[in-house]
Amino acid sequence: MSNLEEVLYNLVRPMADNVDALKVEEMPSSNPREVVIGIHADDEDIARLIGRKGSMASALRQVMSVASHREDKKVTIKFEQEKDAD
């Protein structure tokens, strides 16, 4: 797990009810100066992480932009719901 992935995981873990389904992973990007990090979680947890009108997602992106400043990279966060195994 990269440093930015670990920072984001530590930010979202306390907000998730189902921590077992929570995954934070770096995704491929065509731009070498961009880091794309995906958050995979249950439907309810994704809704909580995005927040009303995207307020929580915006705050997470803002914190991650500060965290990535040292590496001089842009961070993009993607929220994805886990598919039910039913």
Side-chain angles (χ1 to χ4, degrees):
M1 186 179 277
S2 75
N3 189 31
L4 292 174
E5 285 176 271
E6 191 174 340
V7 168
L8 185 56
Y9 181 79
N10 287 333
L11 285 171
V12 299
R13 184 182 45 168
M15 293 184 269
D17 283 339
N18 187 358
V19 179
D20 295 334
L22 180 67
K23 285 190 285 182
V24 175
E25 60 186 5
E26 190 170 333
M27 302 166 80
S29 173
S30 59
N31 184 350
R33 296 200 48 184
E34 178 184 39
V35 177
V36 179
I37 302 176
I39 299 175
H40 305 273
D42 288 344
D43 293 348
E44 292 177 14
D45 287 338
I46 285 293
R48 186 177 300 110
L49 293 174
I50 292 173
R52 290 182 190 240
K53 298 183 182 177
S55 61
M56 186 60 69
S58 178
L60 288 170
R61 288 183 177 110
Q62 197 169 24
V63 170
M64 290 307 296
S65 74
V66 172
S68 68
H69 185 69
R70 173 180 261 176
E71 296 180 24
D72 195 28
K73 294 192 176 192
K74 178 183 183 270
V75 174
T76 302
I77 300 173
K78 298 198 178 217
F79 298 89
E80 299 184 14
Q81 297 174 350
E82 283 296 310
K83 308 285 189 282
D84 288 337
D86 295 339

XYZ file of all heavy atoms in Angstrom:
671
model
N 0.858 -1.179 0.000
C 0.000 0.000 0.000
C 0.898 1.235 0.000
O 1.778 1.363 0.832
C -0.916 -0.040 1.228
C -1.947 1.044 1.269
S -3.052 0.982 2.699
C -4.246 -0.205 2.157
N 0.656 2.142 -0.951
C 1.460 3.355 -1.021
C 1.089 4.302 0.123
O 0.078 4.124 0.797
C 1.264 4.049 -2.368
O 0.017 4.705 -2.406
N 1.907 5.304 0.298
C 1.695 6.255 1.379
C 0.349 6.977 1.235
O -0.375 7.144 2.209
C 2.849 7.254 1.408
C 2.818 8.141 2.620
O 2.365 7.734 3.673
N 3.295 9.355 2.469
N 0.011 7.406 0.010
C -1.261 8.108 -0.196
C -2.451 7.184 0.024
O -3.468 7.595 0.588
C -1.307 8.720 -1.595
C -0.335 9.882 -1.831
C -0.355 10.308 -3.286
C -0.657 11.040 -0.923
N -2.333 5.926 -0.400
C -3.406 4.957 -0.149
C -3.613 4.771 1.349
O -4.741 4.708 1.825
C -3.046 3.595 -0.746
C -3.168 3.484 -2.234
C -2.698 2.140 -2.698
O -1.489 2.007 -2.970
O -3.531 1.219 -2.773
N -2.525 4.684 2.068
C -2.595 4.471 3.518
C -3.232 5.670 4.223
O -4.054 5.504 5.126
C -1.188 4.223 4.068
C -1.164 3.738 5.469
C 0.236 3.356 5.921
O 1.099 3.115 5.073
O 0.435 3.297 7.149
N -2.878 6.872 3.785
C -3.469 8.079 4.367
C -4.981 8.079 4.144
O -5.762 8.317 5.070
C -2.829 9.355 3.765
C -3.622 10.597 4.147
C -1.386 9.492 4.217
N -5.404 7.796 2.909
C -6.834 7.793 2.601
C -7.563 6.682 3.357
O -8.652 6.899 3.893
C -7.058 7.641 1.096
C -8.498 7.746 0.624
C -9.139 9.063 1.055
C -8.586 7.590 -0.878
N -6.955 5.506 3.438
C -7.576 4.403 4.176
C -7.776 4.793 5.647
O -8.837 4.538 6.221
C -6.732 3.134 4.070
C -7.328 1.967 4.795
C -8.366 1.232 4.226
C -6.882 1.597 6.059
C -8.936 0.155 4.894
C -7.448 0.522 6.730
C -8.470 -0.184 6.142
O -9.036 -1.237 6.812
N -6.776 5.407 6.241
C -6.880 5.808 7.648
C -7.929 6.901 7.856
O -8.496 7.015 8.938
C -5.521 6.257 8.169
C -4.576 5.099 8.362
O -4.986 3.963 8.602
N -3.290 5.367 8.233
N -8.202 7.687 6.820
C -9.252 8.714 6.918
C -10.654 8.112 6.828
O -11.558 8.535 7.540
C -9.087 9.752 5.804
C -7.957 10.756 5.951
C -7.799 11.558 4.672
C -8.224 11.678 7.129
N -10.842 7.120 5.938
C -12.193 6.599 5.703
C -12.562 5.414 6.597
O -13.744 5.156 6.804
C -12.416 6.223 4.218
C -12.255 7.436 3.335
C -11.519 5.104 3.777
N -11.587 4.718 7.139
C -11.875 3.537 7.971
C -12.794 3.837 9.146
O -13.757 3.094 9.380
C -10.576 2.891 8.449
C -10.802 1.612 9.232
C -9.517 1.045 9.706
N -8.721 2.138 10.254
C -7.632 1.983 10.965
N -7.184 0.796 11.218
N -6.969 3.017 11.424
N -12.592 4.904 9.910
C -13.506 5.164 11.040
C -14.943 5.482 10.613
O -15.865 5.345 11.401
C -12.890 6.376 11.737
C -11.492 6.445 11.265
C -11.468 5.839 9.905
N -15.139 5.879 9.375
C -16.481 6.229 8.906
C -17.247 5.037 8.343
O -18.445 5.132 8.101
C -16.388 7.306 7.828
C -15.883 8.622 8.359
S -15.886 9.884 7.089
C -14.240 9.687 6.428
N -16.571 3.918 8.111
C -17.198 2.750 7.495
C -17.746 1.809 8.563
O -17.072 1.517 9.546
C -16.199 2.017 6.623
N -18.975 1.343 8.357
C -19.554 0.345 9.254
C -18.986 -1.037 8.970
O -18.663 -1.784 9.877
C -21.078 0.301 9.104
C -21.756 1.461 9.804
O -21.141 2.055 10.707
O -22.901 1.771 9.443
N -18.880 -1.389 7.691
C -18.373 -2.694 7.293
C -16.921 -2.542 6.832
O -16.643 -2.427 5.640
C -19.249 -3.277 6.177
C -18.866 -4.696 5.833
O -17.928 -5.257 6.387
N -19.596 -5.288 4.917
N -16.018 -2.556 7.773
C -14.597 -2.354 7.482
C -14.034 -3.513 6.660
O -13.107 -3.327 5.876
C -13.793 -2.158 8.791
C -12.314 -1.973 8.515
C -14.335 -0.975 9.564
N -14.627 -4.704 6.793
C -14.149 -5.865 6.034
C -14.330 -5.668 4.529
O -13.544 -6.181 3.733
C -14.869 -7.135 6.479
C -14.543 -7.495 7.921
O -13.452 -7.110 8.396
O -15.375 -8.154 8.562
N -15.364 -4.938 4.117
C -15.634 -4.715 2.696
C -14.896 -3.491 2.152
O -14.879 -3.264 0.949
C -17.129 -4.551 2.468
N -14.271 -2.724 3.025
C -13.586 -1.498 2.620
C -12.230 -1.813 2.006
O -11.417 -2.521 2.597
C -13.417 -0.582 3.832
C -12.714 0.742 3.594
C -13.563 1.640 2.702
C -12.433 1.418 4.919
N -12.007 -1.286 0.807
C -10.715 -1.427 0.136
C -10.334 -0.086 -0.465
O -11.166 0.593 -1.056
C -10.777 -2.466 -0.983
C -10.813 -3.887 -0.518
C -10.630 -4.847 -1.665
C -11.919 -4.899 -2.461
N -11.893 -5.842 -3.580
N -9.081 0.279 -0.315
C -8.554 1.485 -0.933
C -7.352 1.044 -1.752
O -6.424 0.443 -1.221
C -8.122 2.528 0.140
C -7.471 3.726 -0.504
C -9.321 2.943 0.973
N -7.408 1.327 -3.061
C -6.311 0.877 -3.914
C -6.023 1.888 -5.008
O -6.914 2.561 -5.506
C -6.615 -0.482 -4.523
C -7.851 -0.526 -5.388
C -8.202 -1.925 -5.855
O -7.545 -2.880 -5.440
O -9.141 -2.037 -6.645
N -4.739 1.966 -5.352
C -4.322 2.851 -6.432
C -4.696 2.206 -7.764
O -4.526 1.011 -7.957
C -2.823 3.095 -6.355
C -2.350 4.176 -7.279
C -0.916 4.579 -7.041
O -0.434 4.435 -5.908
O -0.293 5.030 -8.004
N -5.199 3.033 -8.664
C -5.631 2.555 -9.978
C -4.703 3.154 -11.036
O -4.093 4.197 -10.804
C -7.080 2.977 -10.212
C -8.031 2.449 -9.144
S -9.631 3.245 -9.168
C -10.396 2.381 -10.500
N -4.605 2.501 -12.185
C -3.717 3.029 -13.228
C -4.205 4.379 -13.765
O -5.405 4.626 -13.836
C -3.757 1.968 -14.318
C -4.819 1.019 -13.953
C -5.251 1.265 -12.564
N -3.250 5.221 -14.125
C -3.560 6.529 -14.681
C -2.672 6.766 -15.896
O -1.506 6.379 -15.903
C -3.317 7.616 -13.640
O -3.449 8.897 -14.213
N -3.216 7.415 -16.902
C -2.432 7.711 -18.097
C -1.508 8.906 -17.880
O -0.553 9.095 -18.615
C -3.361 7.981 -19.282
O -4.216 9.061 -18.981
N -1.783 9.699 -16.866
C -0.973 10.872 -16.556
C 0.014 10.526 -15.435
O -0.413 10.176 -14.332
C -1.884 12.024 -16.128
C -1.138 13.310 -15.874
O 0.084 13.354 -15.837
N -1.891 14.376 -15.701
N 1.315 10.634 -15.677
C 2.288 10.288 -14.627
C 2.261 11.221 -13.418
O 2.756 10.875 -12.364
C 3.635 10.356 -15.341
C 3.402 11.149 -16.573
C 1.961 11.037 -16.922
N 1.659 12.412 -13.563
C 1.577 13.344 -12.438
C 0.269 13.240 -11.694
O -0.031 14.052 -10.827
C 1.770 14.773 -12.947
C 3.174 14.950 -13.532
C 3.580 16.342 -13.613
N 3.316 17.020 -12.353
C 3.511 18.292 -12.171
N 3.955 19.017 -13.142
N 3.256 18.860 -11.016
N -0.532 12.223 -12.018
C -1.822 12.025 -11.356
C -1.852 10.667 -10.671
O -1.374 9.678 -11.217
C -2.957 12.096 -12.380
C -4.321 11.859 -11.777
C -5.421 11.845 -12.810
O -5.218 11.308 -13.907
O -6.494 12.372 -12.503
N -2.399 10.644 -9.479
C -2.597 9.405 -8.744
C -4.110 9.206 -8.605
O -4.799 10.078 -8.086
C -1.952 9.466 -7.340
C -2.228 8.204 -6.559
C -0.461 9.711 -7.446
N -4.602 8.071 -9.109
C -6.026 7.756 -9.005
C -6.175 6.688 -7.926
O -5.565 5.624 -8.009
C -6.586 7.239 -10.352
C -8.066 6.895 -10.205
C -6.377 8.264 -11.441
N -6.971 6.992 -6.917
C -7.187 6.061 -5.811
C -8.669 5.726 -5.754
O -9.516 6.623 -5.715
C -6.722 6.653 -4.469
C -5.239 7.026 -4.537
C -6.955 5.662 -3.343
C -4.711 7.709 -3.304
N -8.971 4.440 -5.771
C -10.348 3.985 -5.706
C -10.715 3.522 -4.313
O -9.925 2.859 -3.642
N -11.905 3.895 -3.886
C -12.443 3.440 -2.606
C -13.581 2.481 -2.928
O -14.548 2.867 -3.579
C -12.973 4.603 -1.753
C -11.859 5.585 -1.421
C -13.625 4.073 -0.472
C -12.338 6.824 -0.687
N -13.467 1.241 -2.506
C -14.502 0.226 -2.708
C -15.118 -0.077 -1.353
O -14.402 -0.399 -0.402
C -13.901 -1.056 -3.291
C -13.134 -0.820 -4.562
N -13.739 -0.815 -5.782
C -11.828 -0.567 -4.776
C -12.837 -0.577 -6.707
N -11.658 -0.419 -6.127
N -16.446 0.029 -1.260
C -17.130 -0.219 0.011
C -18.583 -0.587 -0.262
O -19.050 -0.529 -1.396
C -17.054 1.012 0.911
N -19.301 -0.957 0.797
C -20.732 -1.257 0.706
C -21.508 -0.009 0.294
O -21.039 1.116 0.466
C -21.269 -1.739 2.056
C -20.801 -3.133 2.411
O -20.326 -3.850 1.509
O -20.910 -3.502 3.599
N -22.736 -0.225 -0.198
C -23.593 0.874 -0.641
C -23.760 1.948 0.434
O -23.608 3.136 0.167
C -24.978 0.351 -1.026
C -24.949 -0.537 -2.254
O -23.917 -0.573 -2.944
O -25.968 -1.198 -2.519
N -24.092 1.521 1.643
C -24.334 2.477 2.730
C -23.074 3.247 3.094
O -23.121 4.438 3.370
C -24.884 1.761 3.955
C -26.277 1.218 3.770
C -26.777 0.456 4.982
O -26.166 0.575 6.058
O -27.786 -0.261 4.840
N -21.942 2.537 3.093
C -20.678 3.200 3.429
C -20.274 4.194 2.342
O -19.785 5.289 2.646
C -19.571 2.175 3.654
C -19.747 1.427 4.968
O -20.433 1.946 5.864
O -19.182 0.320 5.094
N -20.486 3.838 1.081
C -20.165 4.761 -0.013
C -21.021 6.021 0.110
O -20.519 7.133 -0.038
C -20.371 4.087 -1.394
C -19.243 3.104 -1.671
C -20.451 5.126 -2.515
C -17.874 3.723 -1.862
N -22.302 5.842 0.415
C -23.183 7.001 0.591
C -22.678 7.891 1.728
O -22.684 9.123 1.609
C -24.607 6.536 0.870
N -22.235 7.288 2.797
C -21.718 8.041 3.940
C -20.414 8.759 3.571
O -20.177 9.899 3.960
C -21.486 7.096 5.124
C -21.090 7.807 6.403
C -20.942 6.856 7.580
N -22.187 6.151 7.858
C -22.390 4.843 7.639
N -21.410 4.094 7.155
N -23.538 4.284 7.915
N -19.558 8.094 2.805
C -18.270 8.685 2.431
C -18.426 9.825 1.424
O -17.619 10.741 1.409
C -17.341 7.613 1.863
C -16.889 6.544 2.857
C -16.105 5.455 2.146
C -16.061 7.156 3.967
N -19.464 9.764 0.610
C -19.711 10.852 -0.338
C -20.390 12.017 0.375
O -20.062 13.172 0.150
C -20.535 10.358 -1.537
C -19.684 9.381 -2.364
C -21.014 11.525 -2.388
C -20.424 8.691 -3.469
N -21.317 11.715 1.270
C -21.985 12.747 2.064
C -23.072 13.475 1.303
O -23.274 13.275 0.111
N -23.787 14.327 2.019
C -24.859 15.113 1.399
C -24.242 16.133 0.451
O -23.355 16.878 0.827
C -25.668 15.841 2.454
C -26.486 14.895 3.271
C -27.310 15.668 4.271
N -27.902 14.731 5.200
C -29.200 14.598 5.364
N -30.027 15.360 4.698
N -29.673 13.728 6.213
N -24.750 16.121 -0.766
C -24.280 17.022 -1.821
C -22.776 16.899 -2.052
O -22.131 17.851 -2.488
C -24.653 18.468 -1.508
C -26.151 18.701 -1.436
C -26.460 20.147 -1.195
C -27.960 20.338 -1.089
N -28.313 21.718 -0.794
N -22.195 15.752 -1.697
C -20.773 15.517 -1.941
C -19.835 16.221 -0.987
O -18.640 16.346 -1.253
N -20.366 16.657 0.141
C -19.546 17.441 1.068
C -18.385 16.631 1.659
O -17.265 17.143 1.772
C -20.404 18.027 2.186
O -21.022 16.993 2.921
N -18.642 15.377 2.021
C -17.583 14.554 2.600
C -16.540 14.210 1.531
O -15.337 14.236 1.792
C -18.161 13.282 3.218
C -17.139 12.450 3.950
S -16.338 13.299 5.332
C -17.698 13.407 6.456
N -16.999 13.888 0.322
C -16.074 13.577 -0.777
C -15.185 14.775 -1.070
O -13.977 14.630 -1.293
C -16.850 13.162 -2.020
N -15.763 15.947 -1.061
C -15.000 17.175 -1.296
C -13.945 17.382 -0.211
O -12.803 17.738 -0.506
C -15.946 18.364 -1.343
O -15.235 19.557 -1.520
N -14.317 17.133 1.030
C -13.367 17.282 2.132
C -12.234 16.260 2.022
O -11.062 16.597 2.252
C -14.087 17.128 3.469
N -12.563 15.019 1.658
C -11.536 13.992 1.479
C -10.577 14.381 0.357
O -9.351 14.224 0.489
C -12.166 12.632 1.180
C -12.858 11.934 2.337
C -13.651 10.730 1.842
C -11.848 11.511 3.392
N -11.123 14.896 -0.733
C -10.264 15.315 -1.859
C -9.352 16.458 -1.441
O -8.194 16.517 -1.838
C -11.128 15.713 -3.052
C -11.779 14.519 -3.707
C -12.577 14.908 -4.946
N -13.117 13.722 -5.569
C -14.396 13.390 -5.593
N -15.294 14.185 -5.014
N -14.799 12.283 -6.173
N -9.877 17.373 -0.648
C -9.082 18.510 -0.200
C -7.936 18.056 0.711
O -6.794 18.506 0.546
C -9.988 19.493 0.527
C -9.417 20.860 0.675
C -10.464 21.847 1.158
O -11.447 21.478 1.786
N -10.245 23.109 0.875
N -8.216 17.164 1.639
C -7.174 16.648 2.534
C -6.122 15.891 1.739
O -4.924 16.033 1.968
C -7.786 15.752 3.636
C -6.710 15.017 4.408
C -8.630 16.580 4.581
N -6.570 15.098 0.764
C -5.630 14.314 -0.034
C -4.780 15.207 -0.941
O -3.637 14.891 -1.231
C -6.365 13.254 -0.853
C -6.936 12.146 0.000
S -5.728 11.358 1.099
C -4.621 10.637 -0.103
N -5.318 16.335 -1.379
C -4.506 17.245 -2.192
C -3.374 17.832 -1.353
O -2.265 18.021 -1.848
C -5.357 18.350 -2.811
O -5.729 19.302 -1.865
N -3.641 18.084 -0.088
C -2.594 18.562 0.815
C -1.565 17.456 1.050
O -0.358 17.695 1.028
C -3.201 19.045 2.156
C -2.118 19.347 3.167
C -4.081 20.253 1.934
N -2.043 16.226 1.237
C -1.139 15.102 1.480
C -0.258 14.811 0.269
O 0.879 14.376 0.412
C -1.939 13.856 1.857
N -0.774 15.045 -0.937
C -0.011 14.748 -2.149
C 0.888 15.905 -2.577
O 1.664 15.773 -3.527
C -0.961 14.400 -3.285
O -1.697 15.544 -3.668
N 0.802 17.023 -1.912
C 1.594 18.203 -2.278
C 3.091 17.908 -2.248
O 3.834 18.385 -3.098
C 1.251 19.364 -1.344
C 1.918 20.639 -1.715
N 1.588 21.328 -2.858
C 2.910 21.343 -1.107
C 2.357 22.408 -2.932
N 3.156 22.437 -1.881
N 3.531 17.118 -1.305
C 4.949 16.786 -1.175
C 5.465 16.039 -2.404
O 6.590 16.228 -2.830
C 5.179 15.942 0.076
C 6.589 15.413 0.188
C 6.769 14.594 1.409
N 7.394 15.467 2.398
C 7.652 15.126 3.629
N 7.312 13.951 4.066
N 8.241 15.949 4.443
N 4.611 15.178 -2.972
C 5.007 14.393 -4.148
C 4.730 15.139 -5.453
O 5.022 14.616 -6.529
C 4.270 13.048 -4.141
C 4.648 12.187 -2.961
C 3.907 10.863 -2.955
O 3.471 10.418 -4.030
O 3.780 10.283 -1.877
N 4.162 16.346 -5.371
C 3.837 17.166 -6.532
C 2.974 16.402 -7.533
O 3.254 16.367 -8.728
C 5.112 17.687 -7.194
C 4.817 18.830 -8.160
O 3.825 19.543 -7.943
O 5.569 18.987 -9.144
N 1.920 15.771 -7.015
C 0.996 15.011 -7.854
C -0.434 15.408 -7.526
O -0.733 15.860 -6.432
C 1.169 13.509 -7.639
C 2.509 13.009 -8.102
C 2.553 11.527 -8.163
C 3.905 11.104 -8.733
N 3.932 9.733 -9.087
N -1.309 15.214 -8.501
C -2.736 15.465 -8.320
C -3.396 14.148 -7.930
O -3.123 13.117 -8.526
C -3.326 15.976 -9.626
C -4.809 16.220 -9.566
C -5.322 16.661 -10.925
C -6.782 16.988 -10.856
N -7.644 15.865 -11.114
N -4.252 14.185 -6.931
C -4.943 12.981 -6.485
C -6.395 13.033 -6.941
O -7.087 14.031 -6.745
C -4.887 12.837 -4.953
C -5.731 11.674 -4.482
C -3.462 12.666 -4.485
N -6.828 11.942 -7.563
C -8.226 11.782 -7.949
C -8.783 10.609 -7.159
O -8.165 9.548 -7.108
C -8.347 11.490 -9.459
O -7.748 12.571 -10.175
C -9.797 11.333 -9.871
N -9.934 10.817 -6.516
C -10.558 9.756 -5.719
C -11.818 9.301 -6.433
O -12.656 10.117 -6.815
C -10.905 10.253 -4.307
C -9.648 10.719 -3.582
C -11.599 9.153 -3.513
C -9.917 11.377 -2.248
N -11.943 7.996 -6.611
C -13.134 7.403 -7.222
C -13.824 6.521 -6.189
O -13.167 5.723 -5.531
C -12.759 6.582 -8.446
C -12.114 7.435 -9.509
C -12.128 6.765 -10.823
C -11.517 7.716 -11.829
N -12.142 7.675 -13.087
N -15.132 6.674 -6.076
C -15.930 5.891 -5.138
C -16.665 4.809 -5.915
O -17.369 5.109 -6.876
C -16.942 6.780 -4.415
C -16.305 7.859 -3.569
C -15.994 9.095 -4.098
C -15.996 7.596 -2.250
C -15.407 10.066 -3.323
C -15.404 8.570 -1.465
C -15.104 9.799 -1.999
N -16.505 3.559 -5.483
C -17.149 2.441 -6.179
C -17.810 1.512 -5.174
O -17.215 1.171 -4.158
C -16.124 1.672 -7.007
C -15.484 2.560 -8.066
C -14.525 1.815 -8.966
O -14.538 0.574 -8.951
O -13.767 2.479 -9.663
N -19.047 1.115 -5.490
C -19.790 0.220 -4.614
C -19.362 -1.210 -4.881
O -19.145 -1.604 -6.021
C -21.296 0.354 -4.852
C -21.820 1.720 -4.532
C -23.272 1.871 -4.905
O -23.858 1.041 -5.558
N -23.863 2.978 -4.476
N -19.271 -1.976 -3.810
C -18.965 -3.400 -3.939
C -20.215 -4.125 -4.397
O -21.317 -3.841 -3.934
C -18.496 -3.981 -2.600
C -17.072 -3.637 -2.257
C -16.067 -4.213 -3.210
O -16.113 -5.435 -3.493
O -15.223 -3.456 -3.688
N -20.043 -5.052 -5.289
C -21.172 -5.864 -5.764
C -21.508 -6.907 -4.710
O -20.626 -7.496 -4.115
C -20.798 -6.575 -7.068
C -20.251 -5.677 -8.141
C -21.343 -4.862 -8.777
C -20.883 -4.108 -9.990
N -20.144 -2.919 -9.767
N -22.809 -7.121 -4.484
C -23.245 -8.152 -3.536
C -22.967 -9.521 -4.126
O -23.136 -9.749 -5.320
C -24.732 -8.029 -3.229
C -25.022 -6.815 -2.354
O -24.102 -6.366 -1.657
O -26.169 -6.315 -2.389
N -22.576 -10.450 -3.283
C -22.256 -11.813 -3.721
C -23.484 -12.714 -3.739
O -23.382 -13.914 -3.864
C -21.180 -12.410 -2.830
N -24.688 -12.133 -3.597
C -25.919 -12.935 -3.561
C -26.243 -13.558 -4.891
O -26.061 -13.102 -5.922
C -27.113 -12.077 -3.124
C -26.932 -11.611 -1.685
O -26.151 -12.238 -0.956
O -27.563 -10.607 -1.313
